[in-house]
Every structure is written in C-alpha cells, then in structure tokens.
Amino acid sequence: HHPHACPRIINTHTPTYTNMRIPAPSSPPPLSPYGTFTGSLFQYSSSPSLIAFESKPPAFTTTQTKNKCILLGGLSDGPIPTPYTKQLEHICHSHNWSLVQPVLSSSYLGFGHGSLDRDTNEICKLMNYLLCHSCGGGEEEEEDGVEPTFALVGHSTGCQNSVHFVKYGQEDLVKRTKVIALQAPVSDREGPSQEPQYNSNIEYARKLKKEGNENEMMPRSAFWAPITASRFLSLQDVGGDDDFFSSDLNREEMEDKLGHIGKDGEEYGLNVLVAYSGDDEYVPEFVDKEQLVDKMCFAMNSQCSSSSVKVARPFMIPTGNHNLSKGEGDAERFVEAVGEMLSNLPKQSLPAEQ
C-alpha cells in the first residue's frame, strides 16, 4: 500500500481515541505480511543516528559477505518496504550476497523535509560503514579475488535515489556498484498534475520559495504528509530535482536527467534493469508505459560509446501493480531478473568449514 505520487489523507479509517483506553483489537494482527528477517542491526551514522539491518546467507553466519544488496523503498517506507523483500533476500542469499535495509533520515515521513542530496549522502555513509566493518578484510579472504561490490534495488522514489547516487555519490562507491534495479520508476508529478488543486499548490510553493521560505511547510490540503515547499516542488514541479521519469519530458530533457547512467555505467561495469508495471496505479491512464520505459532506457544508454552497448534494459511486467503485490508471479519474475544480474558477477566462495 504505497502513497507514492498519491494525494490522499492518511489514516482516514482509524478512529481517534482521545483520552480513552484503547480497546483490544477485534481480530489478531496478521503475521508480518512481507516476511520476518534475522540478522544484524547496526548504527551506521551517529550524527544523525541512523541504523540498518543486514541479513546474511546462512553459510556466512561467522564470516563476512563482500557483496551487499541495498534495498531502498519509496515515500513513507522504512525497512521491509515491499512485498517481495523476503524473495529478494532469498535470491541474494543464493548468490552469497547479503541484503541490507537502511533507515534514512527520509524514511517514513522524513522525506517531507529532505532531498535526494541528503539521501545520497546517507547512502554513501552506509556503504562506507559496510566497507569498513562488514565486508571482511584480512589475508585469507582475498583468495577468491572477489572485490566488495554493491547492488541497489530501488522501489518507487527509491529509483530516484539510485539514479541520483550514480551521478552524485562518492566515486569509489559508485564504481563498486555493479547492479541497479529500478522497480516502478514512476513520475511523482504526472499523477498529482491531474488533480484540480495542482496549479494552486505549485503556485503557493513557488511563492514561498521566491520569498526565501522554501523550508516552510505546505498546508495539509496540498499533500498527504507533512512536506516543505522545497521538497514539494522537487517532487511535483516540472523539472524538479525528483522529476526523472515523467512521460512528457522530451528526449533531450530525459537524456540530461538520465544519460549519466550509461556514460558512467559503461566505464564502471554497471548493469541497470528498468522494471515497469503495466498496471501501476500511480501512472495516469494516458501514459503509454511500454513506450515510456523504452524512452527511459534509450536516454540512459544515449551516452554509451556505441549503440550496441546497453547499460540499461527495459523489463515490462504487464500485469504488475506499483509494488508487485497483485499479479500472479510478478514479484518472482522481477526478483529472478535481479538474481540473474547478480549471477553474472564473481561469486564469493563459501567459507571453509569451521
């Protein structure tokens, strides 16, 4: 249930109990719907205090894994952001990769006063921490010749994070990032731009910015979460910092936003999967999704050395909804495609029997 690009009021169905004892639930809560995870919880930044959760393959309980897949959710998500999180963990483990699920300052409702710059900075902090404390050093472990490597799986606004990271992330960390999967790289502007209030909201936000008040909050009628004028414009204004995936961007604009993926990706040996759902509820009806995903991949590959070089490839999921929770087998197909990309990289050998 994802609020990405969706103007709505949160929790309209929850009755408010003002100074009353909370009643017992009428039915038991479901068992963790997206899975239960076992691993290490650690603090990768002390200022601000940020944590992440790493689940390692069972064979590596006492050994460190060199390869880390980092899962980045969308607006309002935290750890365990998607229904396929457990399947992704399983496929990572089968290739001797760890799955890492961070809390960023922008997790949950923190995105409303954040930016892609802040997110990229924190993703770099996380990767630096993993390299120093969790990727293994020492002589005996260098034998299989596997360098510490990262993969990013972005869902929804996590796709913006992944694209932004390649352009602005710490260079040695970007070079270690060999796989990026974008699942539901959807415009945060096109959906809301169909709403009657859209123009007046944008005008109000621009006015605040013009007066030097871009860090003041928008009225609650403008958005379903507390949000500054600055982040609101980033998400919903034409050409905002988050505006990577809108279907009305022309070829030149899109190449300007996405061309670095192919240019840097070819140099660093990066592979990018652009997974788009045919039935994504946050994409307006008038958008031709297949054409859009091809256009995005074309833009990403536009600065490769030749037309035969393809860093990014499209992956249409015809029956898929936004978070792949509905169509039969959709989540599995996506996760398998990620696994295929991991399988093309050098595999860390299993630790020797203790």
Side-chain angles (χ1 to χ4, degrees):
H1 169 69
H2 277 247
H4 178 96
C6 176
R8 61 181 179 81
I9 306 302
I10 278 201
N11 281 350
T12 42
H13 309 300
T14 314
T16 47
Y17 300 101
T18 317
N19 296 335
M20 280 169 58
R21 191 183 292 285
I22 308 286
S26 50
S27 58
L31 189 64
S32 182
Y34 297 172
T36 301
F37 296 79
T38 304
S40 324
L41 185 67
F42 59 92
Q43 189 181 18
Y44 67 91
S45 165
S46 51
S47 173
S49 177
L50 296 168
I51 58 166
F53 188 83
E54 177 177 12
S55 43
K56 297 199 296 191
F60 287 80
T61 39
T62 57
T63 312
Q64 295 185 331
T65 51
K66 294 187 183 177
N67 298 334
K68 317 284 185 189
C69 176
I70 299 169
L71 176 59
L72 301 168
L75 302 183
S76 83
D77 290 330
I80 323 188
T82 58
Y84 54 79
T85 307
K86 196 70 189 172
Q87 287 135 292
L88 180 64
E89 180 196 53
H90 180 76
I91 213 99
C92 286
H93 288 180
S94 71
H95 295 290
N96 298 348
W97 282 60
S98 284
L99 180 66
V100 178
Q101 303 181 57
V103 173
L104 305 176
S105 296
S106 294
S107 298
Y108 304 115
L109 294 183
F111 70 87
H113 56 81
S115 65
L116 293 176
D117 283 325
R118 182 177 75 179
D119 297 343
T120 289
N121 186 24
E122 292 177 359
I123 291 163
C124 290
K125 281 187 175 187
L126 170 67
M127 288 179 166
N128 281 317
Y129 181 94
L130 291 168
L131 277 180
C132 291
H133 299 293
S134 168
C135 283
E139 302 311 303
E140 73 285 7
E141 288 167 88
E142 296 304 320
E143 282 171 18
D144 54 13
V146 175
E147 279 286 306
T149 300
F150 296 109
L152 292 177
V153 176
H155 161 68
S156 201
T157 309
C159 298
Q160 275 113 283
N161 287 132
S162 306
V163 169
H164 188 275
F165 166 79
V166 175
K167 193 167 195 171
Y168 297 107
Q170 191 183 311
E171 193 171 14
D172 62 306
L173 299 174
V174 177
K175 285 180 177 171
R176 289 185 185 277
T177 306
K178 302 299 184 191
V179 163
I180 292 180
L182 305 177
Q183 189 272 309
V186 168
S187 170
D188 271 295
R189 164 169 69 78
E190 282 189 297
S193 71
Q194 305 307 299
E195 301 290 323
Q197 257 195 301
Y198 175 76
N199 287 330
S200 58
N201 287 339
I202 289 288
E203 274 165 36
Y204 181 74
R206 284 180 185 158
K207 178 173 165 286
L208 283 176
K209 185 175 180 175
K210 199 175 160 192
E211 294 162 355
N213 293 323
E214 65 270 20
N215 291 325
E216 299 303 327
M217 307 308 281
M218 293 291 288
R220 39 182 87 213
S221 60
F223 203 75
W224 50 265
I227 192 166
T228 61
S230 171
R231 189 71 205 258
F232 185 83
L233 290 169
S234 178
L235 290 168
Q236 292 199 5
D237 203 359
V238 177
D241 285 351
D242 277 270
D243 195 7
F244 292 137
F245 309 125
S246 299
S247 66
D248 59 359
L249 295 174
N250 66 34
R251 202 165 122 176
E252 208 173 308
E253 290 167 326
M254 204 168 254
E255 288 179 11
D256 186 51
K257 294 264 184 187
L258 303 174
H260 64 278
I261 294 285
K263 186 168 172 283
D264 296 340
E266 181 181 359
E267 190 187 334
Y268 305 152
L270 169 68
N271 276 297
V272 178
L273 184 77
V274 184
Y276 214 90
S277 292
D279 208 11
D280 192 313
E281 62 273 27
Y282 296 111
V283 180
E285 291 292 305
F286 61 80
V287 173
D288 181 332
K289 300 180 186 72
E290 301 218 6
Q291 197 185 336
L292 176 56
V293 76
D294 286 341
K295 183 174 158 185
M296 291 194 299
C297 288
F298 186 87
M300 288 180 189
N301 293 323
S302 63
Q303 293 179 35
C304 293
S305 59
S306 81
S307 57
S308 59
V309 177
K310 299 269 187 280
V311 167
R313 66 184 177 95
F315 190 75
M316 272 307 290
I317 305 171
T319 53
N321 64 328
H322 189 58
N323 67 1
L324 306 183
S325 58
K326 288 202 175 126
E328 183 84 29
D330 288 341
E332 289 76 7
R333 282 186 54 216
F334 168 67
V335 166
E336 265 165 37
V338 175
E340 210 170 296
M341 295 165 86
L342 300 182
S343 72
N344 293 328
L345 295 166
K347 188 172 183 177
Q348 184 179 358
S349 44
L350 287 167
E353 292 300 314
Q354 303 299 313

